[in-house]
Amino acid sequence: KAGVTQTPRYLIKTRGQQVTLSCSPISGHRSVSWYQQTPGQGLQFLFEYFSETQRNKGNFPGRFSGRQFSNSRSEMNVSTLELGDSALYLCASSHPDRDTEAFFGQGTRLTVV
Amino acid sequence: GNSVTQMEGPVTLSEEAFLTINCTYTATGYPSLFWYVQYPGEGLQLLLKATKADDKGSNKGFEATYRKETTSFHLEKGSVQVSDSAVYFCALSDRGGSSASKIIFGSGTRLSIRP
């Protein structure tokens, strides 16, 4: 069974640009969550999508947005990139009928220069 | 709000030593508790979990017991190996009233094992 797949693995962007990251969950998982990991702030929850609807959101500015498609694949977008957005972005998927155990992808390493 | 506090690192041990990484939590309700491990350059892997009080999660020689009375979920291993070197995160699930869920993580503990 394939795990959570995130693309791309590495990305370098310039301040002010926008970026889109992609996440394909484990087959059958309909919940997808996104997390930002930085050395200073640790792991912080961005948002969760379930059946194409955002049902939980962390404390991030509106520049961070996401969406989920009918096949449960999810994308997150960051507009007007700032240097502080440099981080490892992790996606996690979970099964709707089981515990809240989440399975993580390998992450996308975003560097803003 | 809900939170997780785990012992500061880094922790350096010799191979075959006993490991304890302390973790305490603050939560309303009855969260599930997890330990995740992150190897260099990788995402997070679930190491073990416990879903109710007095449950013991175990995997790969690691154990942790859900202690509601002390709000703790300490990670232990009797004999560590060099391959256990990684960053360990204690976490809890924060399930909202709408069944939405998010995971709240501790700050992570970097573990290094000397041969």
Side-chain angles (χ1 to χ4, degrees):
Chain A
K1 196 172 187 179
V4 178
T5 303
Q6 291 187 246
T7 56
R9 287 291 308 276
Y10 302 93
L11 208 48
I12 299 175
K13 289 287 188 178
T14 303
R15 198 167 39 176
Q17 287 186 312
Q18 74 163 15
V19 66
T20 299
L21 312 181
S22 179
C23 172
S24 294
I26 292 171
S27 177
H29 288 194
R30 286 189 286 149
S31 171
V32 174
S33 300
W34 289 89
Y35 295 81
Q36 181 195 65
Q37 185 178 24
T38 59
Q41 299 298 316
L43 279 153
Q44 293 186 286
F45 172 78
L46 280 155
F47 28 65
E48 181 204 8
Y49 285 86
F50 180 82
S51 293
E52 303 179 64
T53 301
Q54 185 184 90
R55 64 177 185 181
N56 206 353
K57 189 177 188 306
N59 189 26
F60 278 81
R63 299 185 298 107
F64 292 81
S65 63
R67 60 177 175 168
Q68 187 179 33
F69 301 95
S70 58
N71 62 358
S72 295
R73 190 176 71 85
S74 177
E75 290 181 345
M76 69 162 280
N77 185 76
V78 187
S79 62
T80 320
L81 283 165
E82 301 177 0
L83 296 179
D85 297 333
S86 295
L88 180 66
Y89 290 88
L90 292 164
C91 167
S93 75
S94 57
H95 194 284
D97 297 328
R98 296 183 195 144
D99 193 15
T100 53
E101 174 181 336
F103 297 85
F104 283 81
Q106 291 188 297
T108 294
R109 171 77 62 187
L110 171 65
T111 302
V112 182
V113 297
Chain B
N2 295 352
S3 64
V4 175
T5 303
Q6 63 182 102
M7 71 188 275
E8 294 283 328
V11 173
T12 303
L13 297 172
S14 297
E15 204 166 21
E16 298 183 3
F18 183 85
L19 168 71
T20 300
I21 301 178
N22 290 337
C23 171
T24 57
Y25 67 91
T26 301
T28 54
Y30 303 95
S32 293
L33 301 176
F34 309 94
W35 277 98
Y36 282 88
V37 58
Q38 186 174 36
Y39 298 100
E42 299 293 321
L44 298 173
Q45 298 177 26
L46 178 67
L47 182 60
L48 54 84
K49 69 174 183 179
T51 59
K52 61 183 186 297
D54 300 325
D55 264 3
K56 177 186 281 188
S58 61
N59 185 28
K60 300 181 181 180
F62 290 90
E63 293 183 340
T65 301
Y66 191 144
R67 301 284 189 203
K68 190 162 177 60
E69 64 276 12
T70 55
T71 62
S72 65
F73 193 56
H74 305 321
L75 182 68
E76 296 183 335
K77 186 175 185 182
S79 177
V80 293
Q81 306 300 313
V82 172
S83 57
D84 294 327
S85 298
V87 181
Y88 292 81
F89 292 92
C90 185
L92 64 81
S93 67
D94 185 0
R95 184 175 286 276
S98 63
S99 295
S101 64
K102 65 180 181 182
I103 298 177
I104 296 173
F105 290 91
S107 56
T109 301
R110 182 175 300 278
L111 173 66
S112 296
I113 306 300
R114 292 188 300 251

